[in-house]
Amino acid sequence: MLKETGRIIEITEINGEKSVTVECISKSACKSCSSNDNCGVGVVAKGISDKSHHISMPYKEGMEVNKQIELLVNNKDIVQSSLVVYIIPLILFVVTCIISNLITDNEPLIILFSVSALLIGSVIAKLLSAILYPANSLNKMISTK
């Protein structure tokens, strides 16, 4: 179970249904490492500001603006969505690389075909993830505590 803490920044009501907007701040792991002063990646991470992400979810009784909530995501959902996003483009890339290598010895052409397959795989993964995980289904995957 993945846990993330967020802050409610807005409560809205649309067509009689309340929803909340939750702000989560992504922090670089390099900022918390004990060796970050001696590491080049840690120095760069200090210069980059934390990212803010907004998630809209259904209102639950007791939610208030500026109140901290904990978001919980099942490991199964993380693994399934990661497989769709990473494996499909990677498989298309590797298969295209192998097939184009069997067809031709022209290395720039092999690279072109393989990168094109990677891009096509990314588009397929985006379309497939939109079908498998529509925006309203995220509310079922994420629960508050």
Side-chain angles (χ1 to χ4, degrees):
M1 184 81 52
L2 176 72
K3 296 179 184 180
E4 182 68 38
T5 303
R7 181 177 62 91
I8 299 173
I9 59 171
E10 182 181 32
I11 299 175
T12 56
E13 187 171 344
I14 300 172
N15 297 332
E17 291 189 26
K18 286 186 177 180
S19 66
V20 296
T21 303
V22 179
E23 177 184 50
C24 296
I25 307 290
S26 296
K27 296 182 181 178
S28 172
C30 289
K31 292 182 181 178
S32 60
C33 177
S34 62
S35 300
N36 68 358
D37 291 332
N38 303 324
C39 173
V41 176
V43 172
V44 171
K46 284 182 182 178
I48 298 173
S49 63
D50 297 331
K51 293 181 183 176
S52 172
H53 303 278
H54 294 172
I55 300 170
S56 181
M57 54 191 339
Y59 174 83
K60 291 186 180 178
E61 205 57 45
M63 289 182 164
E64 300 171 6
V65 174
N66 288 327
K67 186 176 180 182
Q68 297 284 333
I69 62 170
E70 192 173 73
L71 304 172
L72 307 171
V73 183
N74 288 325
N75 290 338
K76 179 188 82 154
D77 295 323
I78 295 170
V79 171
Q80 285 177 344
S81 59
S82 297
L83 284 174
V84 169
V85 172
Y86 293 110
I87 298 298
I88 291 173
L90 183 63
I91 288 174
L92 275 174
F93 176 80
V94 171
V95 168
T96 304
C97 187
I98 292 169
I99 291 172
S100 60
N101 193 29
L102 294 172
I103 294 172
T104 182
D105 289 333
N106 187 348
E107 194 168 318
L109 198 58
I110 294 170
I111 293 170
L112 179 69
F113 287 150
S114 300
V115 170
S116 298
L118 183 67
L119 294 174
I120 291 169
S122 298
V123 170
I124 291 171
K126 183 173 179 143
L127 294 172
L128 190 58
S129 65
I131 292 168
L132 294 175
Y133 302 106
N136 59 358
S137 75
L138 294 176
N139 296 332
K140 297 172 191 159
M141 291 170 46
I142 301 173
S143 61
T144 59
K145 188 175 182 182

